[in-house]
Amino acid sequence: MAKEIIVSRPEMIDFNEMREVYEKVSKIDAAQGLTCVYQKNPDVLFKPITAGGDTIFHIAAYKGKVEVLQDLVEMVPPSKKRELLKIKNIHGNTILHEVAVSSNTKAAEILIGKLLHSEGAMNREDDNCEKQEILADRNKLGETPLFRAAGWGKKEMVVHLAREIERVGNLCNHYKRNDQLSILHITVIGQHFDSAIWFLKKDQALATYKDNNGKTCLHLLASMPTAFRSTSPPTGIFWGLIYKFFYNRLPNGLPDEDEMDQLPLNPKNKDLEQGEPSKGPKQSERSKGIEFKMIDRIRKKKKLHESAVKLAKILVGTDASWFEPHELKDSDTICLERKGEEEIAMNSAASRMEESPEPETPLFIAASTGIVEIVEEILNRYPQAVEHINKKGQNIIHVAILHRQKKVFDFVKEKYEAKKLVRGIDYHGSTILHKLIRGIDNDGSTILHHAANTEYYHGGTQPTPPLQLQEELRWFEDVKNDLPSHFTLHRNKENKTADKLFEDRHSEQLQTAQEWVKNTCQSCSTVAVLVAGVVFAAAYSAPGGFDKGQPVFQDKPLYSLFTVMDVAGLTSSLTSVVIFLSILTYSLEFKDFLGRIPLNLTIGFIFLLFSLGSTMLTFTATILLLVQMKLRTQSLTYAAALLPICVFALIQFPLYYSYCVAAVNIIFDFLQRNLPGNWEAFEIKDD
């Protein structure tokens, strides 16, 4: 049974006062209204007015109400000014904690100047200690006001509070909260990279701090693909073109070096990190005109990418995790046959049990997430880091291939003389992969085994199952071409070659692709047959009928259009039927999805779409022959006839585009294999 709450009349009066105060604090003329209320009863200034234990000062500070705070502070007795800064709500937040998450540094100036720096009766040393305690007061999470401002990305407030802290003490006491998460970690987690860069300029030792999982801020940054351009491409063809056009033409989004440590002249300006840039000198011209929201989103994205790269360069300079050695547990020799299933099972189980909970190095995390910017920065600064291997015996190429990060794989290949790193052959005939266990990890897997492994596969980038399977097959073949042929015979500790592993891991994907192809071909064949029937019947029922065995309108130009479109519609529809039926006769094995099926599907779709367009033009020509119309009416008729085709083409354009790209790449692959010249440059690559 619920407990009954009995409210007395005096308490009801208090609730009414709380409601009145809470409603007035959000109004424009809040200062005048609240002053009248608290002048009648100044004792309630210190009483909570919300269920969260917030006083009127907490609410006004959180909302950044400067005028309200100015008037209310004047009503606080001198003896209680610092006590006011020590009042906490149920979350342990003081008034300074609340003002720290606002973007109004003027509000913080009022609270600190009139309350914290108010004259006290104690000596200078004790006074200074009390100020330090108030500024370093922690909530229930162990966050100081400075820590909270950093976590919320309030760059201007961070700079302001840091200056006040340095006047009475040092920033080190504010660097960590109860769970040992550092102030730099919290800014990186929130992607407030400008604040992170500012803190690193204050104290570069923050870059070496680790959280409870043993991760530095570079570990966290390497796990954020959305913060970098290489791993956050725009979705959609049209949006992608618009995005690239404006992205490459927008100016640099980062402030100058000397601007990062300065507070803006106007304290009401919003934080750049909150996505509301202040109108600085460089932005004054832009602010005079009207700017599309789309362009503003692209500008914010570019600023995020630039600040992430700048932060990564600073953090990489303090990272030496790649230098940590790991003992290899397997030989680098090719194995054509394993001894027995028991030994294989024992080895695999032992490998899994011995996995360490330590995080991967930032280099390998960036390789697994595809962040080329971090990989490039580490390898440019420490070229020897390319020989680093992890606790599983994997090198950077293993990791990039396993996680399907083609950009990282291509970057490493190009940086280290193309295939010489993969094949491990240097200019002196020795092999780099002797140091990198010849591309064989502790599980006995080569890079080709990793290309076949689907442990970290998440569907790829293509829209349909056949193209997804083709993408995996092309990836597997590309890796195979970078290996000596005898590596394809190697068996891992599961006693499987890479080809066998690929078939086992992609069996479900193959079945899904087979079902999709069969259903699609049957449906498209049905539509194509219906179109063929319509245009075939139209050929024997000429518009206007016949006169002495001849069509009535045969001398008119529109009748020629009718005839040509009717024949084209019949021919293209029957051709698409033949193509779709021929696809159904294929065995639909892996080799078919590498080339034949995507190519034939593309041709079939093109002929089907053309047949639909021809049919609609045939219908339009018939209407115009039978009904005499003005030129303007004829144009509208053509537009109405083509509307269904345009709508269908627009909706299905991404699908057709993907299949056309696949077909073009198949053709150039064939030319590359069989004709001289560099045909690879003509392939359409995903950006």
Side-chain angles (χ1 to χ4, degrees):
M1 182 176 179
K3 183 179 179 180
E4 184 179 2
I5 300 177
I6 302 175
V7 181
S8 64
R9 184 171 182 80
E11 288 175 332
M12 184 62 71
I13 296 174
D14 289 343
F15 287 156
N16 290 332
E17 290 180 350
M18 291 179 187
R19 184 194 66 183
E20 183 182 4
V21 170
Y22 189 81
E23 289 176 349
K24 287 185 176 181
V25 74
S26 300
K27 294 181 180 179
I28 298 176
D29 57 346
Q32 184 178 358
L34 290 172
T35 302
C36 295
V37 173
Y38 285 113
Q39 279 178 345
K40 298 177 182 177
N41 190 4
D43 292 336
V44 298
L45 272 173
F46 303 96
K47 290 184 178 180
I49 61 173
T50 68
D54 295 304
T55 65
I56 186 62
F57 288 96
H58 284 85
I59 299 173
Y62 179 81
K63 294 178 179 292
K65 297 282 186 177
V66 176
E67 294 181 0
V68 174
L69 290 173
Q70 282 178 333
D71 291 344
L72 293 179
V73 165
E74 295 297 333
M75 300 173 63
V76 178
S79 60
K80 292 186 176 182
K81 286 189 174 182
R82 290 192 181 175
E83 290 182 17
L84 180 63
L85 293 176
K86 299 177 182 180
I87 298 176
K88 297 185 177 183
N89 60 17
I90 62 173
H91 304 292
N93 292 330
T94 65
I95 300 172
L96 291 181
H97 282 91
E98 298 300 333
V99 78
V101 300
S102 73
S103 299
N104 200 329
T105 56
K106 183 65 176 177
E109 287 178 8
I110 293 171
L111 293 174
I112 294 174
K114 294 188 176 182
L115 297 180
L116 182 67
H117 295 312
S118 60
E119 295 182 2
M122 60 186 69
N123 59 51
R124 182 178 180 81
E125 184 177 350
D126 293 339
D127 182 65
N128 199 52
C129 290
E130 187 178 20
K131 290 179 180 179
Q132 290 185 45
E133 291 177 1
I134 292 174
L135 289 171
D137 204 353
R138 298 177 180 269
N139 59 18
K140 291 186 177 181
L141 293 176
E143 298 172 335
T144 65
L146 176 66
F147 196 103
R148 199 157 188 252
W152 281 62
K154 306 297 181 178
K155 169 73 179 304
E156 298 169 6
M157 189 64 69
V158 165
V159 175
H160 181 77
L161 290 176
R163 288 177 180 173
E164 294 294 336
I165 292 169
E166 289 178 326
R167 288 174 60 183
V168 296
N170 59 70
L171 296 176
C172 296
N173 297 330
H174 301 254
Y175 283 168
K176 287 189 176 183
R177 68 182 187 188
N178 293 344
D179 60 359
Q180 298 304 306
L181 196 70
S182 77
I183 199 168
L184 189 63
H185 280 81
I186 201 69
T187 56
V188 173
I189 290 172
Q191 295 190 349
H192 310 305
F193 301 134
D194 281 355
S195 294
I197 294 171
W198 186 87
F199 276 114
L200 284 171
K201 288 183 176 180
K202 285 288 183 180
D203 190 352
Q204 200 164 7
L206 282 168
T208 62
Y209 283 27
K210 295 183 179 181
D211 61 14
N212 288 336
N213 297 318
K215 293 184 178 181
T216 64
C217 289
L218 187 57
H219 284 88
L220 299 180
L221 193 62
S223 305
M224 293 182 178
T226 57
F228 294 87
R229 187 182 184 184
S230 63
T231 45
S232 56
T235 57
I237 300 170
F238 297 113
W239 168 242
L241 294 174
I242 295 172
Y243 179 88
K244 291 177 184 176
F245 177 82
F246 286 107
Y247 191 100
N248 295 327
R249 286 162 178 77
L250 287 172
N252 192 313
L254 287 179
D256 296 334
E257 293 289 337
D258 57 348
E259 293 179 357
M260 295 196 66
D261 295 334
Q262 297 179 1
L263 287 171
L265 297 176
N266 182 6
K268 293 184 179 180
N269 288 344
K270 298 292 186 181
D271 244 345
L272 287 171
E273 293 175 342
Q274 308 320 114
E276 302 176 13
S278 57
K279 305 295 188 298
K282 296 181 180 179
Q283 296 174 326
S284 58
E285 295 182 2
R286 185 175 70 233
S287 62
K288 292 178 182 178
I290 299 175
E291 184 177 279
F292 289 106
K293 293 181 180 179
M294 174 187 63
I295 300 177
D296 191 48
R297 288 197 302 270
I298 296 174
R299 177 179 289 107
K300 294 171 187 174
K301 198 74 173 176
K302 184 171 184 178
K303 177 187 176 298
L304 177 70
H305 296 163
E306 291 174 349
S307 58
V309 171
K310 185 174 182 179
L311 176 61
K313 290 181 178 180
I314 299 174
L315 294 175
V316 166
T318 63
D319 177 64
S321 57
W322 55 268
F323 194 67
E324 182 180 356
H326 292 283
E327 184 180 354
L328 304 180
K329 300 175 182 178
D330 200 10
S331 62
D332 60 350
T333 57
I334 299 297
C335 180
L336 302 182
E337 185 178 1
R338 296 289 175 179
K339 293 182 179 180
E341 295 183 359
E342 293 183 1
E343 180 184 351
I344 296 168
M346 289 175 61
N347 289 335
S348 299
S351 299
R352 287 190 292 269
M353 290 177 62
E354 292 176 4
E355 287 186 4
S356 171
E358 296 179 4
E360 285 279 16
T361 60
L363 174 63
F364 279 12
I365 294 176
S368 65
T369 53
I371 302 177
V372 179
E373 292 90 340
I374 292 182
V375 173
E376 181 178 4
E377 182 63 27
I378 293 176
L379 295 184
N380 284 343
R381 187 166 298 193
Y382 311 109
Q384 63 273 38
V386 74
E387 299 188 23
H388 171 68
I389 61 172
N390 62 12
K391 52 185 174 289
K392 298 179 182 178
Q394 299 168 350
N395 59 52
I396 188 172
I397 297 180
H398 284 92
V399 174
I401 290 174
L402 181 61
H403 291 266
R404 305 298 192 269
Q405 300 299 344
K406 192 175 190 306
K407 290 182 180 179
V408 176
F409 181 53
D410 290 340
F411 168 75
V412 175
K413 284 171 58 179
E414 292 173 4
K415 183 175 180 63
Y416 293 91
E417 301 294 333
K419 299 180 181 179
K420 285 184 170 57
L421 176 65
V422 180
R423 296 189 175 216
I425 302 173
D426 64 15
Y427 295 111
H428 304 289
S430 60
T431 59
I432 297 177
L433 283 183
H434 282 155
K435 297 181 180 179
L436 301 177
I437 59 170
R438 288 182 57 97
I440 302 173
D441 65 13
N442 293 339
D443 291 327
S445 297
T446 64
I447 59 174
L448 195 57
H449 284 88
H450 291 305
N453 196 340
T454 57
E455 181 180 358
Y456 298 100
Y457 176 70
H458 301 293
T461 60
Q462 298 300 323
T464 62
L467 292 182
Q468 291 170 1
L469 181 56
Q470 187 206 35
E471 185 180 37
E472 280 290 276
L473 287 164
R474 285 174 61 87
W475 178 240
F476 185 76
E477 291 298 322
D478 288 344
V479 175
K480 182 185 289 187
N481 292 335
D482 288 320
L483 275 177
S485 58
H486 65 279
F487 269 67
T488 60
L489 304 175
H490 174 73
R491 294 177 180 268
N492 62 8
K493 289 186 178 180
E494 295 179 0
N495 202 24
K496 292 181 180 179
T497 63
D499 291 299
K500 176 62 176 174
L501 183 64
F502 184 92
E503 293 175 1
D504 291 346
R505 297 295 177 89
H506 292 81
S507 58
E508 292 184 6
Q509 189 177 22
L510 175 63
Q511 185 178 356
T512 303
Q514 290 172 340
E515 293 177 358
W516 190 94
V517 168
K518 290 177 182 178
N519 294 334
T520 302
C521 288
Q522 290 171 358
S523 301
C524 291
S525 298
T526 302
V527 174
V529 169
L530 290 175
V531 173
V534 171
V535 295
F536 185 80
Y540 289 93
S541 57
F546 295 89
D547 182 19
K548 297 180 181 181
Q550 298 295 325
V552 174
F553 298 118
Q554 68 174 349
D555 295 331
K556 293 191 174 183
L558 281 174
Y559 190 81
S560 299
L561 175 64
F562 166 81
T563 305
V564 172
M565 289 296 99
D566 190 72
V567 173
L570 179 62
T571 304
S572 57
S573 61
L574 291 178
T575 303
S576 65
V577 170
V578 171
I579 292 173
F580 289 126
L581 291 178
S582 66
I583 293 175
L584 292 174
T585 63
Y586 293 162
S587 60
L588 300 181
E589 298 297 334
F590 284 109
K591 63 181 186 300
D592 298 320
F593 285 93
L594 184 59
R596 272 203 306 181
I597 291 177
L599 180 61
N600 289 350
L601 281 173
T602 304
I603 298 173
F605 288 147
I606 292 173
F607 276 108
L608 179 59
L609 184 62
F610 183 75
S611 68
L612 292 173
S614 301
T615 303
M616 294 307 300
L617 288 174
T618 302
F619 168 76
T620 305
T622 303
I623 296 298
L624 295 177
L625 284 169
L626 295 177
V627 182
Q628 298 298 322
M629 299 180 181
K630 296 181 180 180
L631 182 60
R632 183 178 180 182
T633 308
Q634 291 180 6
S635 301
L636 293 175
T637 304
Y638 278 114
L642 293 176
L643 180 61
I645 303 302
C646 294
V647 172
F648 179 79
L650 185 63
I651 294 174
Q652 297 296 327
F653 179 77
L655 177 65
Y656 287 142
Y657 175 79
S658 299
Y659 274 95
C660 288
V661 169
V664 170
N665 287 337
I666 290 170
I667 294 172
F668 282 120
D669 280 346
F670 175 81
L671 297 176
Q672 179 73 18
R673 289 194 307 268
N674 297 282
L675 295 178
N678 183 21
W679 296 93
E680 187 177 355
F682 294 95
E683 289 189 14
I684 304 176
K685 298 181 179 179
D686 295 330
D687 201 1

